Amino acid sequence: MAQYLILLYDNEASWATAPEAKMGEMLAQHGRFQEQLAGMGAKILGSNALQPTNTATSVRGDVVTDGPFVETKEALGGYYLIEARDLDHALAVAKLCPVLDGGVEVRPVWDVNADAAA
């Protein structure tokens, strides 16, 4: 099984203005998403939600600045690290991942140890 990162991109303004009931609904949807993975033969290895971009600190070379690199409508808000049979399997899982007002990105994890051993 390979590892894939499902990156959740969403509109921070939508989260900031969402009613408490909507927030609870989204959390329940994430709970259902996590339950569905086992039935699909995939496994969550880790996940976290991220604080808003105004809490970010960016580093380029030796320059450190407050905030993200660029202003965007959708920001990285969290991730799931999953184990799936292949990319098609990971994409099937990602299609079930709830977001409020955005989308998800799926990226394979690069096994640098396997490449170094080759």
Side-chain angles (χ1 to χ4, degrees):
M1 299 271 275
Q3 292 183 4
Y4 295 88
L5 196 59
I6 300 175
L7 302 165
L8 288 70
Y9 288 92
D10 225 331
N11 184 327
E12 287 187 326
S14 294
W15 278 96
T17 59
E20 190 173 319
K22 184 64 176 176
M23 298 293 283
E25 179 185 320
M26 287 301 298
L27 290 175
Q29 287 180 21
H30 278 279
R32 285 190 296 278
F33 168 72
Q34 293 173 23
E35 291 169 1
Q36 289 174 305
L37 266 64
M40 296 178 71
K43 182 178 177 183
I44 294 176
L45 302 175
S47 67
N48 274 303
L50 301 176
Q51 294 288 332
T53 56
N54 66 356
T55 66
T57 302
S58 298
V59 179
R60 285 210 169 167
D62 62 350
V63 177
V64 177
T65 57
D66 290 337
F69 285 135
V70 294
E71 295 275 335
T72 61
K73 179 181 175 190
E74 294 176 350
L76 178 62
Y79 68 88
Y80 285 97
L81 175 61
I82 66 165
E83 196 170 63
R85 290 185 299 273
D86 54 28
L87 179 58
D88 289 335
H89 189 210
L91 292 173
V93 168
K95 287 178 182 178
L96 301 175
C97 189
V99 290
L100 182 62
D101 187 23
V104 302
E105 176 183 347
V106 177
R107 296 184 63 178
V109 172
W110 178 15
D111 186 350
V112 294
N113 292 326
D115 283 355

